[in-house]
Amino acid sequence: MSAGTYLVGAYYKLTPWVEASDGTWHMDKTRKDFKDTPRICYLSSMQSKAVVVVGNDDGSYATTPLGKGLEITPLNKASEFRQGEAIKFKLTRDGERVKMASIVGSFSGYSEDEMSFPFYAKTNIDGVFEFKPLQAGTWYLSTSIESPSGNPDCETRIEKTSIVFTVK
């Protein structure tokens, strides 16, 4: 692989999910597909981004949001991520800031418990938060945003995003 900074993205398209009254989940269905009243309907989307630095690269282009969906973007160059040094990130939805959102993070091998995180922050009014890595290695940060969908057949929209990167 040639020296450079690479962004690897994965997207899960907006998909409806319904929890039926019996507790079962159904993909690509909405309330109108059921005779009885389902418990809830979510329009769900997910995306993830990995920042990979190979060799000695500036990588400043990776500090600009892609502008598609919910995403976490570093405001510092990934080649400069160091243990114990503060890194700023910005959370955006379709390129616009997301304020007062909760962010969690962990590093490889921290815990087998999916609900245990060594990092927590909230974005400020500009959608920015600061992360100070406890140790070197592979880290991920993630968030989930819930909002009304505006669709009575599937009332709640859930967007999830994560970013993976290496700290030296």
Side-chain angles (χ1 to χ4, degrees), residues 19 38 72 81 88 91 103 136 147 154-156 166:
E19 183 182 14
I72 301 170
F81 292 179
K88 288 194 177 187
L91 178 65
I103 309 289
S147 60
C154 203
E155 67 279 2
T156 305
T166 302

Side-chain angles (χ1 to χ4, degrees), residues 65-87:
L66 300 173
K68 178 183 177 187
L70 189 66
E71 68 178 308
I72 301 170
T73 303
L75 300 179
N76 302 80
K77 297 174 192 172
S79 59
E80 299 174 356
F81 292 179
R82 303 271 186 271
Q83 177 182 347
E85 295 180 14
I87 305 165

Side-chain angles (χ1 to χ4, degrees), residues 20-22 31-39:
S21 58
D22 65 1
R31 288 187 177 282
K32 65 183 179 185
D33 295 309
F34 292 83
K35 291 179 183 170
D36 62 344
T37 305
R39 293 181 182 168

Side-chain angles (χ1 to χ4, degrees), residues 7-15 43-51 64-74 90-96 98 103-104 140-145 157-164:
L7 292 179
V8 180
Y11 298 91
Y12 176 82
K13 70 176 184 166
L14 189 63
T15 304
L43 288 171
S44 181
S45 68
M46 295 178 273
Q47 69 184 59
S48 185
K49 178 168 54 175
V51 181
T64 302
L66 300 173
K68 178 183 177 187
L70 189 66
E71 68 178 308
I72 301 170
T73 303
K90 186 169 189 172
L91 178 65
T92 57
R93 180 189 291 136
D94 298 326
E96 299 296 321
V98 178
I103 309 289
V104 295
Y140 76 91
L141 305 175
S142 66
T143 189
S144 180
I145 306 294
R157 182 173 180 150
I158 295 182
E159 298 169 271
K160 297 178 181 183
T161 192
S162 62
I163 186 169
V164 177

